[in-house]
Amino acid sequence: MAFDVIIVGGGINGTGIARDAALRGLRVVLLEQADFCTATSRWSSRLIHGGLRYLEHAELALVRESLRERETLLAIAPHLVHPLPLLVPVYRGARRGPLTVRAGMWLYDLLSAGKSLPAHRMLDAAAARARMPGLASSGLVAAALYHDAQVEFPERLVLENVLAARAAGAELRPYTRVERLLVEAGCVRGVVARDPGSGREDTVLAPLVVNASGPWVDRLLDTLPGRRPRPLIGGAKGTHLVVDRLAGSAATACYAEAGADGRPFFVIPWNGLTLIGTTDVAYGGDPARVTADSAEIDYLLAEAARLFPAAGLTRAAVRYVYVGVRPLPAAAGKEQAAITRRHHVRHHRLVARGLYSVIGGKLTTYRNLAELVVDRLARKVARNLRPCETAQQILPGAVADPVPLAAELVQRAGLAPAAASRLLRVYGQRALAIGELVGREPALGTALTRASVAAEIVHAFESEHATTLADVLMRRTMLGLDADLGAAALEPALAAGARHLGWDAARCGVERERFLAETAALRQPVAARDEAQRA
Ligand SMILES: Cc1cc2nc3c(=O)[nH]c(=O)nc-3n(C[C@H](O)[C@H](O)[C@H](O)COP(=O)(O)OP(=O)(O)OC[C@H]3O[C@@H](n4cnc5c(N)ncnc54)[C@H](O)[C@@H]3O)c2cc1C
């Protein structure tokens, strides 16, 4: 098939662009070196936010755009993006006193005008403690309560963009690494791609190529023949700790000022656990090899323990650690936190006309970024395309009211209420397809864990582009991000593979090893530190 555009990178930006481009009528192929959403898009704070702190850098346009997109995502993906209350405690002597916080909140509300989430409220210390009983009381003078949103599983948001792109005619190829860009007479002609498993190389041709490879953007550009362009990305790594749900932190997130350096940081209720993040450290190494430093882990633990002193936060409390590299615009000499989170798109018209690179951006603004990119692509195509519809068209699992669907899953498929409600939380209305599988083949209703079923394994391979069991557990069922990193689900999932997908012992062995290697990388910084402490 002849393609109009090749998209390199299956994170939120690449898949968002694929969806938009395919919906408008472009012939699209997306190439991703691993599974979809294996990099920055998943290792984020998982917030869909206006960016309160960008107000300090006077980035009003970015805040306004982010708030508008927050509203759009709440509407097109209500099953994945939920309102999240956040408390901003103000302590005596903090850099940002009550007046500064109140002024910031007022401006944030002003920029949010017309949006669905409630305006902020200022609370006195007693009311703040009533809302969040575990919060340190010493020196607490006030707090602001406001709302943003959370995407619990960006992995699923990315996947739903994949599914929508596919439904609109795009071809999506995970586990296909672009080795180099092909250029002739100053114009991009396509790419050479390799299947990392078989080593087989393939040439894919198109007059337009979008480099949406996130922190790998410069590495891909390095494959351009001739002159090496100046770096576009200045990577910044950010680490998060996952601990059990903190006693006294409730369902409200805490957005506080770090005692050590005044940086804003979050303690967020997430997936039945708590997410503590994040750091912001310049990083120029290989994005695939990034790891958390011990100092980052200590910093996050100390800051969270200072805010929640009774929570008993020590190294032993850390379930796992994840780290991602922000693909920020290169800005030599600038303080990390001051580097803009705005996105921009670079057309390499002088060296490879038709090649576009995506720089920066946020999960929150991916849809708008995609619209911008596809507007530019559309100008290069000599035929009429449909207008952008991604702000109006809901994503495939979108469901406004899951309650009737839960009843249907319980009554028709015979699922336990806990399983029905978890399926709806993860898959939205796509949970019905899993219910149908169970209805047809009752053995697929066998439990993997208390609230998950074998049908999810079959569904992921048959309908959700999964290639490995690690893909399924980490980025489809989301069981791999539970407190035990999916350990309880592993053997039942392998048994489901053997029974329903015909896996032999050798295949089960390979799948087990791959999965364990992936989860070991999340445990590893904690384990390494434990080793060091024992020595
Ligand atoms: C610590 C941290 C916290 C963040 N928190 C938030 C937040 O709360 N809210 C928010 O809105 N944003 C947040 N962000 C920003 C947001 O996560 C990123 O801007 C966004 O995910 C970038 O998406 P992407 O698709 O460009 O990159 P990625 O998700 O990294 O995707 C790029 C993809 O390209 C693939 N690729 C690379 N090279 C090749 C190749 N040669 N061939 C084929 N494929 C290739 C990679 O495998 C990868 O899957 C955060 C970022 C970090 C690091």
Side-chain angles (χ1 to χ4, degrees), residues 13 15-25 68-69 71-77 157 160-161 164-165 168 365-375 386-396:
N13 286 328
T15 58
I17 294 165
R19 171 183 183 234
D20 190 338
L23 281 170
R24 292 207 221 178
R68 193 190 61 228
E69 289 302 312
E71 197 69 12
T72 302
L73 291 177
L74 283 165
I76 66 170
L157 187 63
E160 294 221 358
N161 277 280
T365 48
Y366 89 85
R367 192 214 59 82
N368 196 38
L369 165 76
E371 182 173 347
L372 182 95
V373 171
V374 182
D375 283 349
R386 287 185 286 279
C388 177
E389 293 170 0
T390 55
Q392 291 79 39
Q393 278 215 16
I394 55 173
L395 282 165

Side-chain angles (χ1 to χ4, degrees), residues 30-87:
L30 181 145
L31 311 174
E32 161 56 53
Q33 63 185 353
D35 185 22
F36 304 111
C37 202
T38 40
T40 315
S41 302
R42 73 196 285 233
W43 301 138
S44 62
S45 304
R46 301 165 183 260
L47 296 175
I48 298 298
H49 63 133
L52 190 56
R53 80 177 181 80
Y54 310 143
L55 292 177
E56 289 188 337
H57 302 284
E59 299 221 58
L60 297 193
L62 174 59
V63 176
R64 199 193 302 272
E65 177 195 5
S66 304
L67 288 168
R68 193 190 61 228
E69 289 302 312
R70 184 188 74 184
E71 197 69 12
T72 302
L73 291 177
L74 283 165
I76 66 170
H79 57 310
L80 295 174
V81 179
H82 305 284
L84 177 73
L86 294 103
L87 194 77

Side-chain angles (χ1 to χ4, degrees), residues 12 36-37 42 46 77 79-80 151-163 395-397 423 425-428 430-431 434 456 459-460 463-464 471-472 474-478:
I12 193 68
F36 304 111
C37 202
R42 73 196 285 233
R46 301 165 183 260
H79 57 310
L80 295 174
V151 55
E152 216 177 358
F153 302 127
E155 295 85 348
R156 297 285 318 172
L157 187 63
V158 167
L159 185 75
E160 294 221 358
N161 277 280
V162 166
L163 297 172
L395 282 165
L423 289 185
R425 180 175 138 241
V426 174
Y427 302 91
R430 292 177 56 74
I434 295 168
E456 292 176 69
H459 177 72
S463 309
E464 295 202 328
D471 299 346
V472 177
M474 303 304 289
R475 292 169 292 274
R476 303 297 186 281
T477 64
M478 304 318 307

Side-chain angles (χ1 to χ4, degrees), residues 175-216:
Y175 294 99
T176 307
R177 184 184 150 74
V178 173
E179 294 292 330
R180 60 184 185 278
L181 297 157
L182 296 174
V183 179
E184 267 173 40
C187 295
V188 74
R189 291 284 175 232
V191 303
V192 173
R194 179 194 288 265
D195 171 346
S198 67
R200 204 172 65 86
E201 278 199 351
D202 190 14
T203 299
V204 187
L205 299 177
L208 298 167
V209 175
V210 179
N211 174 8
S213 57
W216 284 265

